[in-house]
Amino acid sequence: FHNFSPVISGALVGGLWQVLVMFGLHQGITPIMILNLITNGYENVICCMQAVPFTTCAVVLAVYLKAKSEKLKKIALPAAISSFFGVSEPSIYGVTLPQRTPFFITLASAAVGGAIMGLLDVKMYTFGGMGLFAFPAYINPAVGFDMSFWGVLIAVGVAMVLGFTLTMLLWKEKEVK
């Protein structure tokens, strides 16, 4: 599907990644990433999920800033920090899913980030960590900093700003029982 439309492929991967995470299905995609890396020397499909933890971080940070509930604030700040380092489950289960609107904002904003990565033909050249620790994986070993590195930064930045802004504009706190 990526050969047909990298933009649509990137949007689907970025936009649906958290749904896969919720059901634990994201681990089943790891072998595809490894196969792509071994076969091609790079991975340019699944890597389009790189904007997801940062988008989640930005959305949850906006929730933290806007929330009135001390309980929600106590959950949101550590969850946002966790997402920044690539572990978004605390944000999903503690903040975005219970509040609903931030979850859908995250999906939409991450889809935009994934689409940008597809458009810019971003490639991951090695397995890295998640979140902040994943960026070195986008440095091309043959030429150094190319469009893959700058493209992932652009995609992540756009997705974060979009997610944060939409959350600040659209989210209204609801009491979770």
Side-chain angles (χ1 to χ4, degrees):
F1 194 72
H2 188 75
N3 290 336
F4 169 70
S5 175
V7 174
I8 293 172
S9 174
L12 286 172
V13 170
L16 296 175
W17 192 258
Q18 281 202 338
V19 176
L20 295 174
V21 168
M22 284 173 40
F23 295 106
L25 298 173
H26 66 299
Q27 295 300 340
I29 295 175
T30 303
I32 297 170
M33 294 176 78
I34 294 170
L35 183 63
N36 284 343
L37 280 169
I38 292 169
T39 305
N40 303 325
Y42 60 86
E43 204 294 317
N44 66 338
V45 180
I46 311 303
C47 72
C48 290
M49 61 69 174
Q50 177 60 16
V52 174
F54 293 100
T55 305
T56 306
C57 174
V59 166
V60 173
L61 189 57
V63 167
Y64 170 77
L65 293 173
K66 211 173 163 188
K68 306 266 187 277
S69 162
E70 282 303 313
K71 182 179 178 186
L72 184 55
K73 284 182 169 287
K74 285 181 183 178
I75 295 169
L77 186 58
I81 293 168
S82 176
S83 290
F84 185 76
F85 291 103
V87 180
S88 58
E89 287 85 350
S91 293
I92 295 170
Y93 299 119
V95 180
T96 62
L97 261 181
Q99 293 292 319
R100 287 200 176 96
T101 301
F103 181 73
F104 292 109
I105 290 171
T106 301
L107 297 181
S109 300
V112 170
I116 292 169
M117 289 180 71
L119 177 70
L120 299 176
D121 195 27
V122 169
K123 295 175 179 73
M124 181 176 74
Y125 295 97
T126 185
F127 246 155
M130 288 295 298
L132 179 66
F133 302 111
F135 287 118
Y138 293 85
I139 299 171
N140 186 331
V143 299
F145 295 99
D146 65 3
M147 196 56 200
S148 287
F149 183 77
W150 302 116
V152 73
L153 292 180
I154 292 166
V156 165
V158 168
M160 287 181 77
V161 168
L162 182 62
F164 184 87
T165 304
L166 288 175
T167 304
M168 293 300 281
L169 293 174
L170 302 176
W171 175 69
K172 293 186 182 11
E173 186 172 358
K174 71 177 198 167
E175 190 171 322
V176 177
K177 293 174 177 63

